[in-house]
């Protein structure tokens, strides 16, 4: 209890008032769109219930099967198939929270995870990184730290993500570095990989240490999240099931994310792929609620299509857009906040890369996704995180964030004074109405260059990718860690040293 | 009358049934969004009425002032200011048609110009063109013909536009070539520049000749359109006023398009810039209706902001998006179909260029713009038409066009058969449900390359701009003119020869 109070004292007790044009807490500017009728959504939901009840889900973790069995599900331990009655699913949905505060170490970074909120997360899970200076290479401790610093530096990145993990660190020790760097370099909500119980438990302990709080304070709030990818179709592996259980028991957020590629791991139709996605989500959400009723667990979808020429996953396609909008309808049908994703299959910083990500981004706006993952930096369908792509995507996200500002429609804004002052064919540059507003009226671009062709050419004719190099370099050069970074490092050092000396925690086998 | 019947016989009498996944006639897939309250929209409309009534519009053409004067407007011929009472504006709005068929020579190219329709027009009005083979240069007869062929080749381009006009043709003769090439190379609705009465009248005659119809048939339908740019703020020059009058009297479509740059030629606020845009539109629409009640005239807006660093117009910015959505609200407030525009300020084929155009494109989807101009090929804020940019933008437009297809939600689509057939962890490639659909299930990319990094690298590591070169080259190489192209050419030849011999028609002075 004393630790809880100590944790509380180290933070402001009232929510910070965001400055004007802050991108820190955003609400969706657009009302959600639909691709299905209400009846259609209900039919997809009903068929998903039938999938989990009649076909069942193969669950590789014995403990998870036992949890389901104890609750009344039909379990075949030989085939590992668990058939979950719709009564169980409905009971789980009744206890799943629809709103919770996802906390950062700084209260200014707190996010309400609920319908209507608009959160962005960086491109994540990439084995490689690339930039125009150093080329394409495997992610390392150095680039992990750089990408966390880039994420911390832009307010429109609301939570951390593992853009590329440090592959030069042994798998059993990697989580130490990933948690340490997130907390030393930043104050946003943390991401934890669900790669086995040891790593998860130690990551939770590090968050408590880093944020200077005790177990109860940690349990009272949601301080981190993980992404649970099912093994579509209809399968949940050991670390994923462990992750659901362990996050639920610790009151931390697991985001269920089937990766349903229509035509490959899912039916080829939009509605069919969503039946499967929805079924897998419902089963995983039920497991979380059985592990701890009321645990924060989010609906998720990252369904797209495969390119029928290459067999590769596609992003920003009409199918990806439709699947996103349909996912939003299903999430709202069961009343849960949810995550989606942008993405790009392009192999380089070209118009394809931008178009794929922008199309997918606008899909999430139409879909009112609560959290949009991979929203900056993804290339090659997630195989590479691009520094210059990240900067260009941030421009797009900031453009969207600007739309969340109310547009003034009062008499002063309408500008009769200026309209009556300027002669026909004249200009408004010198009116008082303009002078009063010109410094803050418009979004100031981050990387876009709006100069004319001659000025641009004379300045080296740089593409937006080339210009982005200087921006990420300067961002890293000027990076300032949060004020309490040294204290965080001090609190974590002994724990990590001791953990490393004991060999760390091996990731679980799938 | 006989000419009318002859014209009628040369066309199918029933509307063609578009093939599945046709992009020829599209309806907006999304419901429109709002940035203003209904009260706010009404206030902007009221203030715009006050602008035209109390401040007035400077109209440089005496005939236009006389038309207004005869209708009861207060005209000061010395200052050329016309003050138009709101009763006149409201009477004009009452006679402005809300729906008309914009005709191509082929009935398959007809477009219903009305609320809910979604039409795209190419990047237009560019003095320069650029491609990766031949570089950046002034538009010529050769490139005018090429760009019209490119426009004709993609169904998602619904009407023609002057991507870059043939500057190697004398101004007094240019309209002959522009009309000839549109009709010889294509069968879509034509664009006519409003550059003086002689050129407009001759262009109308060429359309009648080219389409083998008489004056009455021409007058019975809408066969072409022009864009009327006001000289913001509050001014209408001679050729523009002539264009409004002449197009109205000929029952052809003029699209009123103030280019209100907030902070420069318009108030710096979103709502203030829209008051000015709306006022100028209302005045011009009123002139069209006074010239001929019931004439097709469309509301339009191409309002954006200036970059406060460079003074250049900006596109795809938060302000451009908001101005578009607000324009849509105003157009619906007065019940008229309307045009908007995308755009890009970028000087090259980079992520900035794609992002600017994509952001502006999605703005028009949120705004439900009837016609979106500059939707493919614009660079440098319209100073250059890019061939590779055009191909990449077509990909984006086709992606949007795919969203217009209804998403099946019937039992077969939901795919129970496939779901129950595939084992957990298996795949759907070989199911009958997939086999029945895989050839047509997904959009097939035009220029996007979804191969993995190795395959892409081994094939030359080409960007989407570089790949687009081959696509426009092949499109031009394989181009087939409409079946009646030779007959069209024969009908036009003597007219053009005779017109040229007489020196053509000089463009009007502004």
């Amino acid at each position: 209890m004393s630790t809880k109070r100590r944790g509380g004292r180290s933070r402001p007790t009232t929510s910070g008032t965001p400055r004007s044009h802050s991108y820190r807490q955003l609400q969706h500017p657009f009302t959600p769109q639909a691709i299905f009728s209400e009846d259609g959504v209900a039919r997809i939901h009903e068929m998903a219930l039938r999938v989990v009840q009649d076909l069942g889900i193969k669950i590789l973790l014995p403990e998870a099967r036992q949890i389901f069995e104890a609750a009344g599900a039909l379990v075949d331990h030989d085939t590992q198939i668990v058939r979950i009655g719709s009564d169980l699913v409905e009971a789980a949905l009744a206890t799943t929270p629809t709103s919770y505060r996802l906390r950062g170490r700084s209260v200014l970074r707190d996010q309400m995870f609920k319908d209507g909120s608009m959160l962005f997360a960086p491109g994540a899970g990439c084995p490689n990184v690339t930039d125009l200076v150093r080329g394409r290479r495997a992610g390392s401790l150095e680039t992990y730290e750089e990408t966390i610093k880039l994420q911390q530096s832009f307010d429109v990145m609301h939570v951390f993500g593992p853009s590329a993990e440090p592959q030069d660190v042994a798998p059993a020790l990697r989580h130490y570095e990933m948690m340490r760097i997130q907390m030393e370099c930043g104050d946003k909500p943390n991401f934890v990989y669900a790669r086995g119980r040891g790593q998860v438990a130690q990551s939770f302990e590090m968050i408590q240490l880093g944020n200077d709080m005790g177990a109860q304070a940690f349990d009272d709030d949601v301080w981190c999240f993980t992404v649970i990818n099912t093994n579509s179709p209809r399968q949940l592996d050991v670390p994923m099931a462990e992750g659901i259980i362990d996050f639920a028991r610790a009151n931390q957020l697991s985001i269920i994310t089937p990766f349903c590629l229509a035509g490959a791991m899912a039916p080829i139709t939009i509605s069919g792929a969503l039946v499967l996605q929805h079924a897998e989500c419902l089963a995983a959400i039920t497991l979380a609620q059985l592990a701890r009723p009321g645990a924060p667990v989010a609906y998720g979808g990252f369904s797209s299509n495969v390119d029928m020429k290459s067999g590769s996953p596609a992003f920003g396609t009409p199918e990806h857009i439709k699947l996103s909008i349909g996912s939003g309808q299903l999430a709202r049908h069961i009343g849960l906040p949810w995550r989606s994703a942008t993405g790009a299959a392009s192999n380089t910083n070209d118009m394809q890369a931008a178009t794929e990500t922008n199309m997918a981004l606008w899909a999430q706006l139409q879909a009112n996704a609560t959290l949009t993952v991979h929203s900056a930096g993804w290339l090659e369908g997630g195989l590479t995180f691009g520094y210059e792509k990240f900067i260009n995507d941030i421009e797009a996200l900031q453009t969207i964030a600007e739309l969340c500002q109310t547009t003034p429609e009062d008499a002063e804004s309408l500008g009769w004074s200026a309209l009556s002052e300027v002669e026909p064919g004249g200009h408004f540059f010198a009116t008082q109405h303009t002078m009063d507003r010109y410094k803050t009226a418009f979004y100031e671009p981050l990387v876009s260059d709006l100069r004319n062709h001659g000025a641009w050419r004379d300045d080296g004719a740089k593409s937006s990718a080339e210009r982005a190099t200087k921006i990420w370099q300067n961002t890293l050069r000027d990076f300032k860690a949060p004020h309490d970074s040294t204290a965080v490092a001090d609190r974590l050092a002994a724990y990590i040293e001791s953990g490393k000396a004991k060999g760390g925690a091996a990731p679980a086998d799938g």
Side-chain angles (χ1 to χ4, degrees), chain A residues 124-447:
Chain A
C126 310
N128 306 302
V129 298
T130 192
D131 66 69
L132 294 185
V133 181
R134 297 169 294 185
R136 184 176 184 269
R137 61 214 186 280
S140 65
L141 190 60
E142 180 191 22
T143 62
Y144 179 77
E145 182 167 330
E146 286 178 353
T147 56
I148 290 292
K149 286 177 174 172
L150 290 175
Q151 295 171 30
Q152 171 72 10
S153 298
F154 294 96
D155 281 355
V156 81
M157 289 281 93
H158 298 111
V159 297
F160 285 128
S163 293
E165 59 187 291
Q167 293 172 70
D168 51 353
V169 176
L173 309 180
R174 209 171 279 172
H175 62 293
Y176 295 130
E177 301 298 344
M178 295 178 71
M179 299 313 299
R180 178 182 68 78
I181 290 173
Q182 286 183 72
M183 284 187 281
E184 285 184 19
C185 298
D187 52 10
K188 299 183 179 182
N190 290 157
F191 174 85
V192 174
Y193 265 126
R195 288 192 179 150
R197 310 202 112 137
Q199 293 201 355
V200 167
Q202 292 184 357
S203 296
F204 290 170
E205 286 173 1
M206 279 187 278
I207 292 173
Q208 294 168 42
L209 270 174
N211 290 354
D212 196 20
M213 71 176 73
Q216 187 59 48
F218 182 72
D219 189 86
D220 282 346
D221 269 316
V222 183
W223 297 92
C224 63
F225 71 103
T226 194
V227 167
I228 299 293
N229 292 126
T230 52
N231 311 107
S232 304
R234 294 195 291 119
Q235 187 166 294
L236 193 61
D237 69 20
V238 168
M240 292 293 105
E242 287 177 344
I244 293 171
I245 294 168
D246 293 351
F247 272 71
R249 286 183 177 151
N251 193 37
Q252 303 304 306
L253 173 60
S254 58
I255 302 179
I256 312 301
T257 311
F259 185 45
C260 286
L261 284 174
M265 311 318 173
I268 195 166
T269 53
I270 303 290
S271 52
L274 288 178
V275 169
L276 182 63
Q277 169 189 300
H278 199 61
E280 295 178 355
C281 276
L282 293 176
I285 289 168
T286 302
L287 176 58
Q289 295 307 305
L290 291 176
R292 176 169 170 173
V297 55
Y299 188 85
F302 189 10
S303 295
S304 190
N305 64 304
V306 287
D307 176 38
M308 280 301 176
K309 272 189 196 161
S310 62
S312 302
F315 305 96
T317 57
E319 293 75 31
H320 184 192
I321 297 169
K322 286 189 164 193
L323 286 159
S324 300
I325 296 173
S327 295
Q329 291 188 268
L330 288 163
R332 282 184 292 279
H333 185 72
I334 57 174
L336 294 189
W338 70 291
R339 77 146 253 180
S340 191
T342 72
S346 177
N347 288 287
T348 192
N349 293 313
D350 59 2
M351 294 191 284
Q352 176 187 338
T355 297
E356 287 175 314
T357 303
N358 292 333
M359 288 282 159
L361 172 60
W362 276 94
Q364 307 327 318
L365 298 177
Q366 310 308 300
N368 270 26
T370 314
L371 171 66
T372 299
V373 179
H374 307 316
S375 61
W378 245 39
L379 287 171
E380 300 178 27
L383 293 181
T384 292
F385 178 88
Y387 284 50
E388 285 83 11
K389 175 75 162 33
F390 178 84
I391 296 296
N392 275 269
D393 289 342
I394 290 286
E395 183 95 284
L397 295 174
Q398 291 187 164
T399 299
I400 300 305
E402 288 282 336
L403 302 178
C404 301
Q405 301 282 334
T406 304
T407 309
E409 55 183 52
D410 58 290
E412 270 302 299
S413 298
L414 264 61
W416 179 260
S417 63
L419 287 160
S420 54
E421 183 182 334
V422 176
E423 292 299 304
H427 64 76
F428 289 75
F429 289 119
T431 65
Q432 195 60 44
H433 190 257
T434 300
M435 297 304 287
D436 288 345
R437 292 167 174 80
Y438 79 97
K439 282 186 182 165
T440 56
F442 305 139
Y443 170 69
E444 189 178 336
L446 172 68
V447 64

